[in-house]
Amino acid sequence: MTERAPAAPRGGDRLRRAAYLAGLALGGGLLVYQAWRGVAALAELGWQGLDPAWLAAAGGLSLIGVGLQMLGWLSLSNGIGTRLTVRQATEGYFVSFLPRYIPGLVWGYLGRGEWLFQNYGIPYALSSYGSTVEIVAVLTSNILTLAACLALTTAEAPAGWAVLVAWIAGLLAPGWLIGRIFALRADSGMAAPAGWARISRGWMGGVIAFQMVWLCYGASTAAIFSALGLGDHVNVFSITAAFCLAWLAGFVLIFVPAGLGIRESVLANLILPIGGLLSEQASLVAVTSRLLIVLSEVLWVVVGSLARVIGKY
């Protein structure tokens, strides 16, 4: 899909664009605030004892996880017919989603929908439907990863088989259901149905990418344990399960921007018995994990902004 030439703005378009830019500014400010708060908390907890090599490894895994999040969205989005390239997604996905740091669940998705409409003429109905599919896919991948990690930390074979069946069902069944819903809603201003096979492939690609995101974040958190010299006491699957549960806790509280504070608190309490940590150490691991993800998002925003500037020349 090529970027469309901007049309002369009308009154309503100017108002939407102004609201969009205000949302980006506010969301970007909140993202910077989160990064500053994380650095301050980390300094207070005593980051000097962290091993730099393991900390760099944890940061790299977080950076990969954030990038995979974009690829998961791109797979889902192209599955329902948007036809964006990786470069186009990189240019706008991270920047347009900045309003998600504003309290409330919808602002990031509205910002992304405005970016898709302004730059590629993708109808709001289609982008809204894609956002709904994305939320379902993220929740599905989280629950499947959580169940798999819990099963892998037990020795009971029946649990493992049950998780395998659930994993296959989670990949296949929703793709068919989403395709049927898409077909029923094709007369609501969305593009023509992309077809069951394409939608199913997009769903599977998105869910697998999101599962890799959770594994990257879990492995990053486990690397922080190693940075503290406690790597021998952790199981990466147990840590990933704890991270998935903490993320769910932040997701439920939709009026807390991006789960700020909630996920760190829940994660610290969940990993406390896993690694045999002191409460201060658990807090340090949780805060560091969140900070690395936030800094990774900042870096991807910079990369996306640069890609868009370079693309104009």
Side-chain angles (χ1 to χ4, degrees):
M1 175 176 288
T2 58
E3 189 168 355
R4 70 173 190 175
R10 295 174 295 180
D13 294 333
R14 285 195 295 267
L15 182 60
R16 280 199 305 270
R17 181 165 181 80
Y20 171 63
L21 294 176
L24 293 186
L26 180 56
L30 289 171
L31 176 60
V32 172
Y33 167 73
Q34 283 204 27
W36 171 82
R37 177 172 171 169
V39 171
L42 191 58
E44 183 179 346
L45 289 168
W47 56 269
Q48 294 87 349
L50 294 172
D51 184 284
W54 278 111
L55 193 60
L61 287 165
S62 294
L63 189 66
I64 293 171
V66 174
L68 286 170
Q69 183 178 331
M70 178 199 71
L71 294 179
W73 168 80
L74 182 63
S75 178
L76 293 169
S77 184
N78 283 345
I80 61 173
T82 59
R83 301 177 184 274
L84 296 176
T85 66
V86 173
R87 176 166 183 167
Q88 288 170 334
T90 304
E91 289 177 357
Y93 173 83
F94 299 102
V95 176
S96 67
F97 209 39
L98 282 175
R100 76 188 184 93
Y101 287 98
I102 302 172
L105 182 63
V106 301
W107 306 114
Y109 298 105
L110 291 177
R112 186 191 295 155
E114 190 63 29
W115 161 64
L116 290 171
F117 178 76
Q118 287 184 15
N119 292 278
Y120 305 107
I122 295 174
Y124 293 117
L126 181 60
S127 60
S128 297
Y129 183 72
S131 295
T132 302
V133 173
E134 180 186 7
I135 292 172
V136 174
V138 169
L139 287 171
T140 299
S141 68
N142 181 285
I143 294 170
L144 290 178
T145 304
L146 172 61
C149 288
L150 290 176
L152 288 169
T153 57
T154 67
E156 298 180 6
W161 283 108
V163 169
L164 178 61
V165 172
W167 189 81
I168 294 173
L171 283 179
L172 299 180
W176 176 85
L177 179 61
I178 290 169
R180 299 309 304 158
I181 296 174
F182 193 98
L184 291 173
R185 294 192 57 193
D187 58 350
S188 64
M190 296 189 294
W196 178 88
R198 179 171 180 171
I199 293 172
S200 182
R201 286 195 301 270
W203 169 267
M204 288 189 289
V207 171
I208 290 173
F210 289 144
Q211 287 180 313
M212 293 174 66
V213 170
W214 302 123
L215 290 172
C216 281
Y217 289 161
S220 174
T221 306
I224 298 170
F225 272 82
S226 295
L228 283 170
L230 301 170
D232 295 337
H233 302 284
V234 296
N235 180 311
V236 67
F237 297 115
S238 298
I239 299 300
T240 302
F243 189 97
C244 289
L245 281 172
W247 183 89
L248 283 174
F251 179 82
V252 171
L253 299 174
I254 63 174
F255 294 106
V256 179
L260 179 61
I262 302 299
R263 288 171 182 160
E264 294 90 335
S265 178
V266 173
L267 181 59
N269 281 282
L270 289 173
I271 64 177
L272 193 59
I274 294 175
L277 304 177
L278 299 174
S279 59
E280 294 81 4
Q281 291 175 318
S283 297
L284 178 61
V285 171
V287 169
T288 304
S289 175
R290 177 60 177 239
L291 175 61
L292 291 177
I293 293 173
V294 170
L295 292 178
S296 296
E297 291 180 352
V298 171
L299 184 56
W300 276 110
V301 167
V302 172
V303 170
S305 300
L306 289 175
R308 184 164 182 80
V309 171
I310 293 172
K312 292 181 178 180
Y313 297 98

